[in-house]
Amino acid sequence: SAKGAFERTLLFTIRAGNPPEAFQKLIPILQEGQLAEEVAVADLEGTVVAAAQPSLKGTLLPAEQAKNADYARKTYSPKIWFYPRVDPEQIWFYAPIAVDDVPQYVAVFRYSLGNMRQAIQQVSKLCIVVAVVVILVVVPLCILLIRSILGPIQNLNRATQDITAGNLSQQVEVTTDDELGELAETFNDMAQALVAMKAR
């Protein structure tokens, strides 16, 4: 995830190096991998140290964002590792960048709802196509399965009616090796036994 990438970068640069500079190099990579649309990283005082828009570096987060970032930092835990805020047009994620579960920076991610709607529409279309394909494949298989089961049962039913009517020579054609085939063979044995019994 984007948060994990920031934390790994922080660990690599925390002793020797410049974490804000490393964050700045990481942001375009995250954007290319579509892990973030717009992102800014602020220190615990709310000063932007890295951002997708370089002009924001060195400025303070807007009041609302600073408030949300501070809340995300104060409530941070391994289970509650981000704080989301939804606006009519976008979603904001405030994710503390921590070392040993101690927040050092806060990353602010913004995702456009317009893009999310487009993604949902694409997924919905894919689901519809998959559902149609499944129906086209499964329905014929179900029909064949039903016929393969009902056909022998209907033959046995007709043969039973014939025997009831007195036609003891009735035999059922055995076409399968499953339980229905065994039932048909048992039925034929019974019919032959009845013929022999009647002859005696």
Side-chain angles (χ1 to χ4, degrees), residues 27-92:
I27 288 172
I29 297 172
L30 295 176
Q31 289 179 309
E32 289 174 8
Q34 297 182 344
L35 290 177
E37 271 185 44
E38 288 189 18
V39 59
V41 180
D43 61 20
L44 300 185
E45 285 74 40
T47 303
V48 177
V49 298
Q53 300 178 20
S55 61
L56 295 178
K57 287 178 62 177
T59 64
L60 291 174
L61 288 173
E64 184 68 20
Q65 291 185 24
K67 176 183 172 184
N68 293 332
D70 189 53
Y71 180 82
R73 177 182 63 82
K74 289 179 179 176
T75 60
Y76 175 80
S77 71
K79 291 184 178 179
I80 307 172
W81 56 269
F82 71 95
Y83 174 58
R85 297 295 294 169
V86 180
D87 293 340
E89 297 297 328
Q90 54 206 357
I91 296 179
W92 298 86

Side-chain angles (χ1 to χ4, degrees), residues 1 7 33 84 106 109-110 116 118 131 149 152 160 173:
S1 68
E7 289 183 340
V106 177
F109 301 97
R110 185 186 72 83
M116 294 186 75
Q118 184 179 1
I149 294 173
T160 303
E173 184 179 355

Side-chain angles (χ1 to χ4, degrees), residues 155-193:
N155 289 339
L156 280 169
N157 186 42
R158 283 193 295 269
T160 303
Q161 291 173 354
D162 287 345
I163 287 180
T164 302
N167 182 9
L168 299 181
S169 62
Q170 182 67 38
Q171 292 286 296
V172 178
E173 184 179 355
V174 180
T175 58
T176 61
D177 294 329
D178 56 10
E179 288 78 6
L180 285 173
E182 291 179 7
L183 180 60
E185 289 180 355
T186 303
F187 180 90
N188 291 338
D189 292 342
M190 179 196 70
Q192 292 172 359

Side-chain angles (χ1 to χ4, degrees), residues 105-126:
Y105 297 89
V106 177
V108 181
F109 301 97
R110 185 186 72 83
Y111 297 91
S112 168
L113 282 177
N115 291 345
M116 294 186 75
R117 286 193 190 99
Q118 184 179 1
I120 291 171
Q121 288 175 353
Q122 291 175 347
V123 171
S124 299
K125 290 178 182 177
L126 178 62

Side-chain angles (χ1 to χ4, degrees), residues 3 10 18 29 46 49 52 66 77 84 112 129 132 146 154 157 159 185 199:
K3 178 182 183 302
L10 178 60
N18 185 342
I29 297 172
V49 298
S77 71
S112 168
V129 170
V132 169
I146 290 171
Q154 290 172 342
N157 186 42
E185 289 180 355

